[in-house]
Amino acid sequence: MRVVSYWSGQLPDVSRLHFASFLARTTGAKYELFIENCDPFASGPDDVVRELQESGRLSIHARPWESLSEMKVAPAVSVKQLRDRGKYADIFGPLFRRLASSVCRRFGKSNVLGLRGSFSAIGGFDFATDSRLFSWNRWHTYRADIFRVLAPSLFPGEDVLWVDLDTVFIRDFDEWPLNSSFVYRWEDQPHGNNAVIFFSEKSEHDRASLREAAVTSRSFRPWVLFTDRRCDAIGFKVLDPRLFDPAWDADSLMAATPRTFTSSNLHSDEIVEQIERHCVVAHWHNQWRVTPEPGSPWWILMSRMTRENRTVRGG
Protein backbone atom coordinates (compact mmCIF):
# COMPACT_ATOMS: atom_id res chain seq x y z
CA MET A 1 0.00 0.00 0.00
CA ARG A 2 1.20 3.50 -0.90
CA VAL A 3 -0.40 6.35 0.99
CA VAL A 4 -0.06 9.59 -0.99
CA SER A 5 -0.62 13.25 -0.18
CA TYR A 6 0.40 16.63 -1.60
CA TRP A 7 0.93 20.05 -0.07
CA SER A 8 2.08 23.44 -1.37
CA GLY A 9 3.66 25.76 1.21
CA GLN A 10 4.67 25.16 4.82
CA LEU A 11 2.95 22.20 6.40
CA PRO A 12 0.24 23.43 8.80
CA ASP A 13 0.93 22.65 12.43
CA VAL A 14 -2.52 21.08 12.85
CA SER A 15 -1.49 18.32 10.42
CA ARG A 16 0.82 16.78 13.03
CA LEU A 17 -2.15 14.62 14.09
CA HIS A 18 -2.38 13.19 10.58
CA PHE A 19 1.26 12.06 10.53
CA ALA A 20 1.31 10.88 14.15
CA SER A 21 -1.81 8.78 13.60
CA PHE A 22 -0.39 7.15 10.47
CA LEU A 23 2.66 6.10 12.48
CA ALA A 24 0.61 4.95 15.48
CA ARG A 25 -2.36 3.23 13.86
CA THR A 26 -1.14 1.71 10.58
CA THR A 27 1.43 -0.91 9.67
CA GLY A 28 3.05 -2.03 6.45
CA ALA A 29 2.10 0.93 4.26
CA LYS A 30 4.64 3.43 2.92
CA TYR A 31 3.80 7.14 2.97
CA GLU A 32 4.69 9.27 -0.07
CA LEU A 33 4.55 13.00 0.76
CA PHE A 34 4.75 15.23 -2.31
CA ILE A 35 5.49 18.79 -1.26
CA GLU A 36 6.56 22.04 -2.89
CA ASN A 37 7.39 25.61 -1.94
CA CYS A 38 8.64 24.75 1.54
CA ASP A 39 11.12 22.97 3.76
CA PRO A 40 9.13 20.28 5.62
CA PHE A 41 11.56 20.52 8.55
CA ALA A 42 11.56 24.31 8.85
CA SER A 43 8.34 24.76 10.81
CA GLY A 44 4.96 23.20 11.50
CA PRO A 45 4.88 19.50 12.40
CA ASP A 46 8.60 19.06 11.70
CA ASP A 47 9.19 16.80 14.71
CA VAL A 48 6.40 14.38 13.75
CA VAL A 49 7.40 14.34 10.08
CA ARG A 50 11.02 13.67 11.03
CA GLU A 51 9.97 10.86 13.36
CA LEU A 52 7.93 9.29 10.57
CA GLN A 53 10.81 9.63 8.13
CA GLU A 54 13.22 8.04 10.61
CA SER A 55 10.86 5.08 10.92
CA GLY A 56 11.58 4.28 7.26
CA ARG A 57 7.91 4.66 6.32
CA LEU A 58 7.98 8.16 4.80
CA SER A 59 9.49 9.41 1.55
CA ILE A 60 9.43 13.14 0.81
CA HIS A 61 9.33 14.29 -2.82
CA ALA A 62 10.28 17.94 -3.30
CA ARG A 63 9.42 18.19 -7.02
CA PRO A 64 5.95 16.68 -7.22
CA TRP A 65 5.17 17.55 -10.84
CA GLU A 66 8.47 16.44 -12.37
CA SER A 67 7.33 12.93 -13.32
CA LEU A 68 3.84 14.08 -14.30
CA SER A 69 4.73 16.98 -16.61
CA GLU A 70 3.79 15.23 -19.86
CA MET A 71 0.47 13.86 -18.62
CA LYS A 72 -2.68 15.39 -20.07
CA VAL A 73 -5.10 17.66 -18.20
CA ALA A 74 -7.18 18.35 -21.34
CA PRO A 75 -7.14 16.70 -24.80
CA ALA A 76 -4.49 19.12 -26.11
CA VAL A 77 -2.92 20.38 -22.85
CA SER A 78 -0.26 18.74 -20.68
CA VAL A 79 0.65 19.51 -17.08
CA LYS A 80 3.76 21.31 -18.33
CA GLN A 81 1.75 23.48 -20.70
CA LEU A 82 -0.74 24.32 -17.96
CA ARG A 83 2.09 25.33 -15.61
CA ASP A 84 3.64 27.55 -18.30
CA ARG A 85 0.54 29.69 -18.89
CA GLY A 86 2.25 32.77 -17.44
CA LYS A 87 1.24 35.99 -15.73
CA TYR A 88 -1.84 36.66 -17.87
CA ALA A 89 -3.72 33.81 -16.23
CA ASP A 90 -2.38 34.66 -12.77
CA ILE A 91 -3.57 38.28 -13.02
CA PHE A 92 -6.89 37.94 -14.80
CA GLY A 93 -7.94 34.36 -13.96
CA PRO A 94 -8.86 34.92 -10.28
CA LEU A 95 -10.65 38.18 -11.14
CA PHE A 96 -12.81 36.64 -13.87
CA ARG A 97 -13.44 33.54 -11.73
CA ARG A 98 -14.86 35.65 -8.88
CA LEU A 99 -16.96 37.66 -11.33
CA ALA A 100 -18.29 34.53 -13.05
CA SER A 101 -19.12 32.87 -9.71
CA SER A 102 -21.04 35.94 -8.57
CA VAL A 103 -23.05 36.19 -11.81
CA CYS A 104 -23.85 32.48 -11.88
CA ARG A 105 -25.06 32.48 -8.27
CA ARG A 106 -27.17 35.57 -8.72
CA PHE A 107 -28.84 34.54 -11.97
CA GLY A 108 -28.85 30.76 -11.55
CA LYS A 109 -26.61 30.15 -14.54
CA SER A 110 -24.11 27.35 -15.18
CA ASN A 111 -21.88 29.55 -17.34
CA VAL A 112 -21.38 33.20 -18.14
CA LEU A 113 -19.74 35.51 -20.67
CA GLY A 114 -18.75 32.62 -22.91
CA LEU A 115 -15.94 31.64 -20.52
CA ARG A 116 -14.60 28.10 -20.82
CA GLY A 117 -15.71 26.43 -17.62
CA SER A 118 -18.75 25.77 -15.47
CA PHE A 119 -20.36 26.73 -12.19
CA SER A 120 -21.09 24.51 -9.18
CA ALA A 121 -22.96 25.55 -6.04
CA ILE A 122 -20.21 23.82 -4.02
CA GLY A 123 -17.07 25.22 -5.58
CA GLY A 124 -18.21 28.25 -7.56
CA PHE A 125 -16.99 28.81 -11.11
CA ASP A 126 -14.12 26.65 -12.36
CA PHE A 127 -12.22 27.34 -15.57
CA ALA A 128 -11.74 24.35 -17.84
CA THR A 129 -8.16 23.08 -17.81
CA ASP A 130 -7.70 24.22 -21.42
CA SER A 131 -8.85 27.77 -20.68
CA ARG A 132 -6.22 30.48 -21.00
CA LEU A 133 -7.54 31.91 -17.74
CA PHE A 134 -6.71 28.82 -15.67
CA SER A 135 -4.21 30.13 -13.10
CA TRP A 136 -1.80 27.40 -12.02
CA ASN A 137 0.09 29.52 -9.50
CA ARG A 138 -2.95 31.07 -7.82
CA TRP A 139 -5.17 27.98 -7.66
CA HIS A 140 -3.67 25.79 -4.92
CA THR A 141 -6.69 23.59 -4.20
CA TYR A 142 -7.18 22.78 -7.87
CA ARG A 143 -3.53 21.76 -8.18
CA ALA A 144 -4.19 19.27 -5.40
CA ASP A 145 -7.28 18.00 -7.24
CA ILE A 146 -5.18 17.41 -10.34
CA PHE A 147 -2.37 15.76 -8.41
CA ARG A 148 -4.55 13.22 -6.61
CA VAL A 149 -5.90 11.93 -9.93
CA LEU A 150 -2.53 11.74 -11.72
CA ALA A 151 -0.21 10.60 -8.91
CA PRO A 152 -1.39 6.95 -8.74
CA SER A 153 0.16 6.47 -12.20
CA LEU A 154 3.56 6.69 -10.43
CA PHE A 155 2.83 3.43 -8.59
CA PRO A 156 1.58 0.90 -11.14
CA GLY A 157 0.57 -2.49 -9.80
CA GLU A 158 0.18 -1.22 -6.22
CA ASP A 159 -2.72 -0.19 -4.02
CA VAL A 160 -2.68 3.60 -3.69
CA LEU A 161 -4.57 5.54 -1.03
CA TRP A 162 -4.88 9.29 -1.44
CA VAL A 163 -5.56 11.18 1.82
CA ASP A 164 -5.87 14.88 2.61
CA LEU A 165 -3.80 16.11 5.53
CA ASP A 166 -6.90 17.11 7.53
CA THR A 167 -7.56 13.47 8.39
CA VAL A 168 -6.67 11.21 11.31
CA PHE A 169 -6.04 7.49 10.84
CA ILE A 170 -8.08 5.38 13.24
CA ARG A 171 -7.73 1.76 12.10
CA ASP A 172 -5.09 -0.30 10.35
CA PHE A 173 -5.70 -1.15 6.71
CA ASP A 174 -6.79 -4.72 7.32
CA GLU A 175 -10.01 -3.17 8.68
CA TRP A 176 -10.58 -0.92 5.67
CA PRO A 177 -13.01 -1.79 2.80
CA LEU A 178 -10.27 -2.37 0.23
CA ASN A 179 -12.00 -4.80 -2.10
CA SER A 180 -12.33 -2.21 -4.86
CA SER A 181 -11.49 1.38 -5.71
CA PHE A 182 -13.63 3.91 -3.84
CA VAL A 183 -14.42 7.43 -2.72
CA TYR A 184 -17.00 8.33 -0.08
CA ARG A 185 -20.20 10.28 -0.55
CA TRP A 186 -20.24 14.07 -0.28
CA GLU A 187 -22.89 14.50 2.44
CA ASP A 188 -26.11 13.33 0.73
CA GLN A 189 -25.11 14.60 -2.72
CA PRO A 190 -25.13 12.42 -5.88
CA HIS A 191 -21.34 12.42 -6.04
CA GLY A 192 -18.29 11.51 -4.00
CA ASN A 193 -15.78 13.54 -2.03
CA ASN A 194 -12.07 13.30 -2.88
CA ALA A 195 -10.51 13.75 0.59
CA VAL A 196 -9.97 9.97 0.61
CA ILE A 197 -9.58 8.00 -2.64
CA PHE A 198 -8.57 4.35 -2.85
CA PHE A 199 -7.12 3.05 -6.11
CA SER A 200 -7.07 -0.74 -6.04
CA GLU A 201 -4.11 -2.55 -7.57
CA LYS A 202 -6.56 -5.13 -8.86
CA SER A 203 -7.57 -2.84 -11.70
CA GLU A 204 -5.30 -0.39 -13.50
CA HIS A 205 -8.41 0.32 -15.55
CA ASP A 206 -9.97 2.25 -12.64
CA ARG A 207 -7.24 4.87 -12.39
CA ALA A 208 -6.76 5.09 -16.17
CA SER A 209 -10.50 5.59 -16.66
CA LEU A 210 -10.55 8.31 -14.01
CA ARG A 211 -7.68 10.16 -15.71
CA GLU A 212 -9.41 9.85 -19.06
CA ALA A 213 -12.66 11.20 -17.60
CA ALA A 214 -10.82 14.20 -16.12
CA VAL A 215 -9.09 14.97 -19.42
CA THR A 216 -12.26 14.57 -21.47
CA SER A 217 -14.38 16.69 -19.13
CA ARG A 218 -11.52 19.21 -18.67
CA SER A 219 -12.20 19.15 -14.93
CA PHE A 220 -10.61 17.43 -11.93
CA ARG A 221 -13.25 18.53 -9.45
CA PRO A 222 -14.98 15.75 -7.45
CA TRP A 223 -18.50 16.96 -8.27
CA VAL A 224 -17.61 16.40 -11.95
CA LEU A 225 -15.44 13.28 -11.74
CA PHE A 226 -17.14 11.32 -8.95
CA THR A 227 -20.81 11.50 -9.86
CA ASP A 228 -22.69 8.30 -9.07
CA ARG A 229 -23.11 7.58 -12.77
CA ARG A 230 -19.45 8.10 -13.61
CA CYS A 231 -18.20 6.12 -10.61
CA ASP A 232 -20.37 3.21 -11.64
CA ALA A 233 -18.98 3.40 -15.18
CA ILE A 234 -15.30 3.50 -14.20
CA GLY A 235 -15.41 1.02 -11.33
CA PHE A 236 -15.36 3.23 -8.21
CA LYS A 237 -17.70 2.60 -5.31
CA VAL A 238 -19.18 5.57 -3.46
CA LEU A 239 -19.14 4.54 0.20
CA ASP A 240 -21.11 5.75 3.21
CA PRO A 241 -19.43 8.84 4.73
CA ARG A 242 -19.90 7.41 8.23
CA LEU A 243 -16.66 5.46 7.85
CA PHE A 244 -14.67 8.56 6.93
CA ASP A 245 -16.37 11.80 7.89
CA PRO A 246 -18.08 12.35 11.27
CA ALA A 247 -19.22 15.83 10.17
CA TRP A 248 -21.30 14.12 7.46
CA ASP A 249 -22.69 11.41 9.74
CA ALA A 250 -26.19 12.42 10.87
CA ASP A 251 -25.81 10.35 14.05
CA SER A 252 -22.50 11.90 15.06
CA LEU A 253 -22.09 14.57 17.72
CA MET A 254 -19.97 16.34 15.10
CA ALA A 255 -22.75 16.32 12.48
CA ALA A 256 -22.58 19.52 10.39
CA THR A 257 -20.14 21.05 12.91
CA PRO A 258 -16.55 20.15 11.92
CA ARG A 259 -15.17 22.97 14.09
CA THR A 260 -16.20 20.87 17.08
CA PHE A 261 -13.17 18.70 16.34
CA THR A 262 -10.69 21.40 17.36
CA SER A 263 -12.80 23.02 20.08
CA SER A 264 -12.98 21.95 23.72
CA ASN A 265 -16.54 21.06 24.66
CA LEU A 266 -18.57 18.86 26.99
CA HIS A 267 -18.88 16.13 24.35
CA SER A 268 -15.21 15.82 23.36
CA ASP A 269 -14.72 12.39 24.93
CA GLU A 270 -17.96 11.12 23.39
CA ILE A 271 -16.97 12.46 19.95
CA VAL A 272 -13.65 10.64 20.16
CA GLU A 273 -15.43 7.46 21.27
CA GLN A 274 -17.77 7.69 18.26
CA ILE A 275 -14.85 8.28 15.89
CA GLU A 276 -12.92 5.34 17.32
CA ARG A 277 -15.99 3.10 17.04
CA HIS A 278 -17.25 4.02 13.57
CA CYS A 279 -14.39 5.44 11.46
CA VAL A 280 -11.39 3.94 9.71
CA VAL A 281 -10.13 7.49 9.12
CA ALA A 282 -11.78 10.78 10.15
CA HIS A 283 -11.83 13.92 8.02
CA TRP A 284 -12.00 17.16 9.99
CA HIS A 285 -12.45 19.63 7.10
CA ASN A 286 -9.57 22.08 6.74
CA GLN A 287 -9.16 24.34 9.82
CA TRP A 288 -5.54 24.77 8.74
CA ARG A 289 -4.88 27.90 10.80
CA VAL A 290 -6.76 26.83 13.90
CA THR A 291 -4.88 26.09 17.14
CA PRO A 292 -6.71 23.09 18.65
CA GLU A 293 -7.87 23.73 22.19
CA PRO A 294 -6.78 21.50 25.09
CA GLY A 295 -9.53 18.99 25.71
CA SER A 296 -10.78 19.09 22.10
CA PRO A 297 -11.21 15.83 20.14
CA TRP A 298 -8.07 16.79 18.16
CA TRP A 299 -6.12 17.23 21.40
CA ILE A 300 -7.38 13.96 22.91
CA LEU A 301 -6.51 11.97 19.78
CA MET A 302 -3.11 13.65 19.44
CA SER A 303 -2.33 12.72 23.05
CA ARG A 304 -3.32 9.10 22.34
CA MET A 305 -1.26 8.88 19.16
CA THR A 306 1.80 10.36 20.88
CA ARG A 307 1.45 7.90 23.76
CA GLU A 308 1.00 4.94 21.39
CA ASN A 309 4.07 5.91 19.38
CA ARG A 310 6.16 6.18 22.57
CA THR A 311 4.95 2.74 23.63
CA VAL A 312 5.99 1.24 20.27
CA ARG A 313 9.44 2.84 20.61
CA GLY A 314 9.70 1.53 24.16
CA GLY A 315 9.80 5.01 25.64
Side-chain angles (χ1 to χ4, degrees):
M1 168 80 80
R2 301 277 183 165
V3 175
V4 177
S5 66
Y6 160 88
W7 189 261
S8 176
Q10 289 301 137
L11 289 167
D13 191 67
V14 73
S15 68
R16 66 177 54 248
L17 174 59
H18 173 83
F19 296 108
S21 67
F22 176 80
L23 189 58
R25 293 292 175 89
T26 73
T27 56
K30 184 74 178 293
Y31 199 115
E32 309 288 344
L33 174 60
F34 291 83
I35 194 164
E36 61 183 341
N37 303 320
C38 88
D39 176 356
F41 301 115
S43 63
D46 55 313
D47 55 337
V48 181
V49 172
R50 184 175 287 106
E51 181 181 354
L52 182 54
Q53 188 180 46
E54 289 173 353
S55 75
R57 299 184 61 200
L58 172 69
S59 294
I60 298 174
H61 308 271
R63 292 182 293 276
W65 300 101
E66 188 173 53
S67 299
L68 302 173
S69 61
E70 299 306 318
M71 298 195 73
K72 296 294 184 183
V73 294
V77 181
S78 68
V79 168
K80 183 180 186 303
Q81 290 170 317
L82 190 62
R83 296 179 71 190
D84 292 342
R85 285 285 166 79
K87 293 184 178 180
Y88 176 87
D90 292 343
I91 294 172
F92 294 104
L95 175 64
F96 277 92
R97 182 171 179 249
R98 287 194 297 271
L99 175 62
S101 291
S102 178
V103 170
C104 288
R105 283 195 177 94
R106 182 171 182 179
F107 297 102
K109 293 180 175 291
S110 60
N111 207 329
V112 66
L113 303 175
L115 297 175
R116 295 182 61 81
S118 61
F119 174 80
S120 164
I122 297 173
F125 187 87
D126 286 329
F127 289 112
T129 46
D130 57 356
S131 168
R132 292 185 62 195
L133 289 170
F134 189 105
S135 174
W136 177 272
N137 295 315
R138 298 286 296 278
W139 214 347
H140 298 278
T141 60
Y142 204 118
R143 289 210 305 272
D145 283 346
I146 293 174
F147 191 84
R148 73 190 74 202
V149 172
L150 300 184
S153 66
L154 301 175
F155 308 102
E158 297 186 59
D159 286 335
V160 176
L161 178 71
W162 167 274
V163 283
D164 284 357
L165 298 185
D166 52 345
T167 56
V168 52
F169 292 91
I170 301 299
R171 302 186 192 180
D172 207 349
F173 296 118
D174 59 358
E175 298 185 62
W176 284 56
L178 303 181
N179 294 322
S180 65
S181 301
F182 69 77
V183 289
Y184 71 88
R185 188 164 301 284
W186 189 303
E187 295 182 287
D188 58 354
Q189 299 297 312
H191 57 77
N193 180 35
N194 63 3
V196 178
I197 314 174
F198 177 64
F199 300 84
S200 173
E201 60 85 19
K202 297 175 183 176
S203 178
E204 289 290 327
H205 176 268
D206 297 347
R207 61 190 78 181
S209 295
L210 183 63
R211 292 196 303 270
E212 182 180 352
V215 170
T216 302
S217 65
R218 297 166 171 81
S219 176
F220 287 74
R221 290 302 204 188
W223 44 86
V224 175
L225 281 186
F226 294 117
T227 62
D228 289 349
R229 182 176 180 180
R230 177 161 280 156
C231 282
D232 185 61
I234 64 178
F236 276 76
K237 291 184 178 180
V238 183
L239 300 182
D240 190 326
R242 189 182 198 193
L243 284 171
F244 310 94
D245 206 315
W248 289 348
D249 175 5
D251 296 324
S252 170
L253 290 168
M254 269 184 65
T257 57
R259 291 297 293 266
T260 307
F261 189 74
T262 55
S263 302
S264 178
N265 62 86
L266 295 175
H267 299 294
S268 290
D269 288 317
E270 294 175 81
I271 289 172
V272 170
E273 192 276 330
Q274 285 184 335
I275 289 173
E276 295 267 17
R277 185 170 68 249
H278 295 305
C279 296
V280 294
V281 67
H283 181 213
W284 71 73
H285 293 260
N286 305 316
Q287 305 183 66
W288 301 119
R289 298 181 181 180
V290 171
T291 300
E293 297 175 358
S296 65
W298 186 100
W299 189 89
I300 294 170
L301 283 165
M302 186 65 200
S303 298
R304 289 187 185 180
M305 302 305 172
T306 302
R307 185 165 59 249
E308 290 172 24
N309 284 328
R310 287 174 179 166
T311 299
V312 170
R313 295 195 308 271

